[in-house]
Amino acid sequence: MDSPVLSWSTFFNACLRYRLTPDKFQTLVNAFQFKNSTPSGRQLIHVLLSEGKKSGLEDPRVPLFASELLRMRLCSAADVLISLLPPTSEDSVRNQALPEMEGILRPSIEASILQMMTLEVGEGLLKTHEVIRAVLKSLVAWMTRYPSSRALGYLIYATLNSPLAHNAISHPSMKGTKTSFGRCLSVLVAQLSQTDLQLATGLDFFQKQFDIRDDVPGHLELLEGVDLGALSFQESVMDNTPVNTRAGLYVYLNALLYGRPLFDDLLVIDYLNAKYKGDSATLMTDLILAAFDVLGNAMYRTESTESITLLRSFLVNKLPVFLNNYAAIIFEPVTVEVCISQALGRVDPAAFPSFSQMFDPLGTSSMLSDARQEFLFACALHQLIPEQSIEVLLGDVPMQSLPASGRYVKDDLVAQCSANPTKIEEFIGELEKMEGNAGEIAAALLEIIHTLCSNNDTMTLKGVCNTLSRRPKALDVVMLFTQSVTLLQPLCRILDNWQEHEDQGEYHPVYDEFGSILLFIVLVKHRFNLQPHDLGIDNPNSFVLKYIKSACMSRSPDHLTEHENKLLGGWIRGLFEAEAINNELMSMCSPKEFHLLVATLFDQSLKACQAKVLALDTLRGGFEYLLEPFLLPSLGAGLVWFAHHVWETTERSTNIEITIHALQSLLKPPSMSSDSSAMHAAVLSIVAKPLEDSLGYAQQQHPLRADIHPLLEILKPHAHKQRHEATFHSSLETWALTAGGGLLAALRHTIQSLLIWSSTTTASADMTPPQYTHRQLVETIRVLGAKAVLQLLLDETMAHFETGSSPELDVALDIIVTMISAPQHQFYLPSSSSTLGNSDQHQIPKRQLSLCDALNTEFSQAFDLSKNNLPRATMTVRLHRRVEALVGRASPEANGVVVADADVLMHGVVHNVDGMPTADIDDVLVEAEFLAGGGGAATFLGV
């Protein structure tokens, strides 16, 4: 890399890490180019893109910085488009889809920059014929690569709509380009006509006006798939203005929070902007009310205390921060205080009683009685309302106050923890508090974890992982503010790249630190039912990937290498003979090798005992040694192996005796230290469910044995510690036994109860919300398929369409559209899945069809259906149109909402741009120039 490019690469890296605002970035660029030569525009954009993707995540500041470079004329629009286009060698399949604003995936940098370019072109970026001609040539390459991209279609529309476009494209020098452009545009229009008829019609208009239709002989076959009759029918379907209902947002918020938290600020802002179309006051009122409804519903459904804690934390710690995005665009006479007052006035008083009602003998009592004031004090903490307004809004004298420490700031917390690492555990404990500060604590914690991983400070990292492993509620709160890949990717990488130093004196700490980090990763994976691609693993040979796949499976000694057989023998002698576990054995066997051998170690030990080579008491004593803290994390895989092994027992099995005794030594040891006890509980939360299932089967096979039930009692408190979409068997059985159709009938009853509630809440504002869990919809789709469920949803809307009841139909449409468009993590692959190398793409699982998929299929057949059932075909088009309007990725700025670009380390914490801390300009310039001059980062930081 030549010197100017290297200098600018270092400069862009510093700007991205310091999280500069666009105006400060512009100032720095002017200062930096004064002292450094500037490469070509294409090189500048290429370097910026490279730096923005170095972390494995796509930095959302890159499009903003690219926009500034365009405005400063350091690059042209064509430079941006050409640099942005991936090399041809990266295309494994022609006509691949551009990862853009569709579905519920976060848009890629490429799609975001195309969107930025569309806005810039609309504001007059293309000022000369030469510039337009260069852009048109670049767009030909894009259309060749991505012939169905909506983001690309909007950019082309903006380009052709510019004042100079007609003259530029008619220039004699453009003859060849015009032909290629027309050919590619015809294909794009044909593809878009199936997904965005309005955009396709607009582009077709320009084709006619500029005479750039494809006239190449033999090309018409590309358009044969376009059904003009279907297009005409879809365009003829009329629809009224959508109605926003209380039930709609209630369902949507349930979908985001019922399992692993899916509340992604940018996605939710896009969805709400599309739904409320600029009515920010109503949006804020409805969102607050929905948060209380969802929390009250959890209480009525007797959800677990962990679930209720998470929902309370969302109400108190997450929602006020999120509402700040809309506070600035609510204008007099409506204020944020008015919105909160209106929402609280409709909250269910039975679930959220006032203080006077609590102490009234005839009144109600509730475990959520503090929720109102907790929420109001959090709003005051984040300056949504003045503190003196709380008493008025509450209708009582508040019984608490603002936190004595005030509003936390992430950078201050990081500084405190850097100076005193013992503060980390203290702040993790505060994550469970209902004060409004959890977001900044979570942001600080993630930055600390990333820094510790970068510095390879595994000793401090062990403490952080152990503390979080002991506090599942705190872990749930962290997941409200981030994504799994952000939390786990650096931890996976540190294990994958783990190396012991040759001069390592004591190996107990090595095993201790490695095991604690591994246990935490496995605990998070288990708790949220994460797949390997959710961990952000970008190495197909990753140890963590291998551990997840095979650590719980034993191997025959014949299938072990000579080295592995030697290690296995060493561990057997160390556990069951007088040698014990010594430093020499651990120096020969890395923690990676040990954790992959544990299942085989258990298997061979039990076989030795069955063969009378090993005494039962010796076996138990050796296994108890594995309960030492530095070895205890190995039981995560080892006990899962036991769960598989127990399934092999039958009524005539003779090895059940040894198996049960071995499990007794591992599940209920005679004594444990407090540290070991906490770690043991974390391990049990991972293995309890598979062990409970297999031991329950063993109890059926051996009903006279009295020693199995005590083990089941030990596992029982740990057996349901997961937060994902899985449904309890009892609930599934209840739905399946519903009269009149089983699962579908149960879902129909749920939809009808939501309809009744939402249709009558205007008359009874405090009506208790119907009990609802999004698991019911997800489970019905999983069992019966999305197509069957979609037909039920269509049936419910048609029932009101046929009765001619417009208000009830509007309510039904809002609820059904929400159910179809609500994000569900089992129905899409997160953007982190793209981090897997091409050689390991098979690790990304195939997903089941979602309701959106089924609706798209139904929509494609609507014209044929209209010939036999016009009302149902019309309803299908209306549903599809509304779902497309909600899940299409609109720009957050489109409705006046300004969201600070999420930090690479923290996707979920949203700050006001004006109040967002940014680096001092001199600091960035000094660092960039120092590093570009050959100094290292460590030297610059003085270490």
Side-chain angles (χ1 to χ4, degrees), residues 800-843:
H800 298 284
F801 178 78
E802 290 165 358
T803 60
S805 175
S806 181
E808 289 189 2
L809 176 60
D810 289 337
V811 173
L813 278 170
D814 186 58
I815 294 171
I816 299 304
V817 166
T818 302
M819 286 183 165
I820 295 172
S821 58
Q824 296 166 14
H825 50 76
Q826 72 275 28
F827 290 146
Y828 77 100
L829 293 176
S831 54
S832 59
S833 64
S834 63
T835 60
L836 280 170
N838 290 334
S839 61
D840 203 42
Q841 287 298 314
H842 64 279
Q843 300 299 338

Side-chain angles (χ1 to χ4, degrees), residues 603-665:
D603 185 29
Q604 293 300 311
S605 301
L606 262 63
K607 286 178 178 176
C609 193
Q610 292 162 18
K612 310 289 187 189
V613 175
L614 193 64
L616 184 59
D617 288 341
T618 304
L619 178 80
R620 295 184 58 153
F623 279 2
E624 286 176 3
Y625 194 73
L626 293 172
L627 296 171
E628 291 294 325
F630 73 102
L631 296 178
L632 206 155
S634 67
L635 297 186
L639 287 173
V640 173
W641 175 85
F642 264 105
H644 297 162
H645 178 69
V646 170
W647 281 108
E648 299 170 5
T649 63
T650 65
E651 294 179 22
R652 295 181 294 277
S653 292
T654 56
N655 62 354
I656 186 66
E657 184 80 22
I658 297 171
T659 302
I660 295 301
H661 279 284
L663 281 173
Q664 287 173 340
S665 66

